[in-house]
Amino acid sequence: LHYILSITHEDYGRATSLSNLTNKWKPAGKWDPPEKPYSKPNYIDEDTRPPPARKANATFVILARNGDLNGIVDSMRQLEDRFNRHYHYPYVFLNEQPFSDEFKKWTSNIASGTVEFGLIPKEDWEQPAHIDENKASLAREQMVKDSVIYGGSVSYRNMCRFNSGLFFKQELLQKYKYYWRVEPGVKYFCNVDEDPFLFMQDNNKVYGFTLSLYEYHKTIPTLWEATKRFIEKNPEYLPKDNAMAFISDDQGRSYNLCHFWSNFEIGDLDFWRSEAYTKFFEHLDQEGGFYYERWGDAPVHSIGVALFAKKEQIHFFKEIGYRHEPFQHCPQGQLHTKGQCWCDETDTFDYIPYSCTYRYDRLF
């Protein structure tokens, strides 16, 4: 029976082999030393650590609709578990329609900080009167034919225009200096033990990102020409040590399409409120490209911060693990260990060919 089982059941044969039995019954003093236990780093115990000694004047900003509730709850739960359950920063929700009682109940229940709900004024959300609707309609039809994502959507364009230059003007945000933009259905992979808002404040940063990539040219064919017209009229707004090299490979003659992916951004609201950026947005708004094309807030924000901020005021939050489908940033090495991250280190967008992060690195 032993012979039959040995040749028909491989696992049985290995288990009852002479070498295996011999290893199990070694004489005294011949035992192999036990493996050393894995040495874990000293993690911060979120349940026992003292409350923060100081906090920044900051908030989370979430543009959402009632139908986004499930995705918002998912994002908030991760954000609270990984960071905010210790810091208790507030949330500001914005919507062009009134939030439902159910939305308010669920989000308020998850948040460890205060929660406020704002209704966006129609003039800040809807297509402005100076836009030629016939021209805009033809542009949308062409984008649909060209299979441009959201090419036929007016509401998407409203959102891009709002995020580009109007979100920071909302009444509920006037009392804050810093914000962290949060989207529904995103993932936060790691513990965030150090307050990124205080980091921004203490190091004079104005913009923080985790992902950067190239824009789809068909959505912004004339954006850079419009930008150059503004620069030519207002050169005084550009500091000499800005990040022009991130967005242009030829000193501003053309746009290389690189942008920070703005679904995650931690920023200084006073930068967007500045004279330089305010006039820049007003110039772009009058150009009409948000509706005649499909200018996104990501390239608009990125061009704005690259032109009007000093390059050292832009920060790559390497320690914040983040995913917005279909891309993710996963911290590497010690940052991954320290943050107790659950993302795969080999699955990170940082330096694949379609990423622009290497261009950011080259600034320094």
Side-chain angles (χ1 to χ4, degrees):
L1 179 61
H2 169 74
Y3 173 75
I4 295 173
L5 289 173
S6 295
I7 62 175
T8 59
H9 293 75
E10 185 178 349
D11 291 340
Y12 178 86
R14 283 199 300 266
T16 59
S17 67
L18 180 61
S19 61
N20 188 59
L21 293 173
T22 302
N23 288 335
K24 290 184 177 180
W25 296 101
K26 290 183 178 179
K30 297 294 185 179
W31 297 101
D32 291 331
E35 292 185 6
K36 293 182 180 180
Y38 174 69
S39 178
K40 295 178 66 175
N42 293 322
Y43 297 117
I44 295 176
D45 187 341
E46 293 289 345
D47 294 321
T48 60
R49 67 186 290 184
R54 62 194 183 101
K55 291 168 58 177
N57 177 19
T59 184
F60 300 107
V61 176
I62 305 179
L63 177 64
R65 290 172 170 167
N66 291 311
D68 295 322
L69 179 58
N70 289 339
I72 289 296
V73 166
D74 188 27
S75 298
M76 289 180 67
R77 182 68 275 161
Q78 295 177 67
L79 193 55
E80 286 291 327
D81 290 345
R82 290 299 196 167
F83 169 67
N84 202 46
R85 70 178 193 155
H86 181 66
Y87 289 92
H88 312 308
Y89 278 107
Y91 291 79
V92 171
F93 287 91
L94 300 172
N95 190 353
E96 83 274 18
Q97 299 292 331
F99 284 107
S100 67
D101 290 340
E102 180 185 25
F103 190 101
K104 292 179 179 180
K105 180 185 75 172
W106 280 94
T107 52
S108 298
N109 184 54
I110 291 176
S112 62
T114 60
V115 181
E116 294 182 284
F117 302 92
L119 181 63
I120 301 170
K122 289 186 179 298
E123 60 270 21
D124 288 349
W125 184 261
E126 295 180 350
Q127 180 173 297
H130 69 267
I131 296 298
D132 181 340
E133 174 52 27
N134 289 331
K135 180 179 177 180
S137 178
L138 290 173
R140 294 195 300 271
E141 291 175 7
Q142 185 60 49
M143 283 197 173
V144 170
K145 293 177 182 178
D146 293 340
S147 300
V148 176
I149 187 170
Y150 304 119
S153 173
V154 175
S155 63
Y156 187 83
R157 288 170 168 82
N158 291 341
M159 179 192 69
C160 290
R161 175 176 176 263
F162 176 79
N163 279 331
S164 292
L166 297 166
F167 84 94
F168 52 87
K169 295 184 178 181
Q170 302 308 294
E171 182 178 353
L172 292 179
L173 291 177
Q174 296 312 300
K175 56 181 173 287
Y176 296 111
K177 179 170 174 60
Y178 297 100
Y179 74 100
W180 179 334
R181 178 170 163 179
V182 179
E183 295 273 319
V186 299
K187 291 181 174 65
Y188 298 99
F189 293 120
C190 313
N191 291 339
V192 183
D193 294 324
E194 297 179 7
D195 186 342
F197 292 126
L198 282 180
F199 177 85
M200 299 283 287
Q201 175 180 294
D202 295 345
N203 294 278
N204 192 31
K205 305 293 185 181
V206 299
Y207 192 83
F209 73 97
T210 57
L211 291 163
S212 66
L213 63 159
Y214 293 93
E215 182 59 296
Y216 186 29
H217 183 262
K218 285 188 176 181
T219 66
I220 56 163
T222 67
L223 174 59
W224 190 247
E225 291 303 314
T227 297
K228 288 201 294 184
R229 286 192 288 273
F230 179 82
I231 293 172
E232 290 167 2
K233 294 179 181 178
N234 302 278
E236 69 276 12
Y237 291 136
L238 278 65
K240 292 183 179 179
D241 53 350
N242 66 9
M244 173 70 85
F246 176 74
I247 57 173
S248 177
D249 301 327
D250 51 17
Q251 293 79 50
R253 288 190 293 276
S254 64
Y255 177 35
N256 62 22
L257 304 179
C258 279
H259 67 277
F260 305 114
W261 215 19
S262 59
N263 48 70
F264 174 100
E265 56 184 16
I266 299 176
D268 184 342
L269 289 162
D270 286 342
F271 176 80
W272 305 127
R273 296 166 180 149
S274 69
E275 180 178 294
Y277 187 79
T278 297
K279 288 189 175 181
F280 176 60
F281 171 74
E282 290 173 350
H283 167 78
L284 295 183
D285 200 25
Q286 287 300 313
E287 291 276 338
F290 291 107
Y291 295 93
Y292 300 143
E293 296 176 8
R294 207 219 66 191
W295 294 354
D297 54 277
V300 171
H301 273 192
S302 300
I303 290 172
V305 76
L307 293 179
F308 309 130
K310 296 179 180 180
K311 63 183 181 181
E312 63 266 21
Q313 292 181 295
I314 305 170
H315 183 69
F316 177 20
F317 278 106
K318 297 180 180 180
E319 72 276 18
I320 299 181
Y322 175 76
R323 181 178 183 87
H324 183 294
E325 295 294 340
F327 306 125
Q328 70 182 38
H329 163 66
C330 186
Q332 304 290 293
Q334 288 299 313
L335 291 177
H336 192 279
T337 303
K338 180 182 178 182
Q340 295 183 284
C341 306
W342 59 275
C343 54
D344 180 355
E345 287 183 79
T346 65
D347 182 9
T348 191
F349 189 73
D350 301 347
Y351 298 108
I352 69 170
Y354 200 62
S355 172
C356 288
T357 301
Y358 77 95
R359 294 180 183 274
Y360 169 80
D361 291 342
R362 286 195 320 202
L363 294 174
F364 308 99

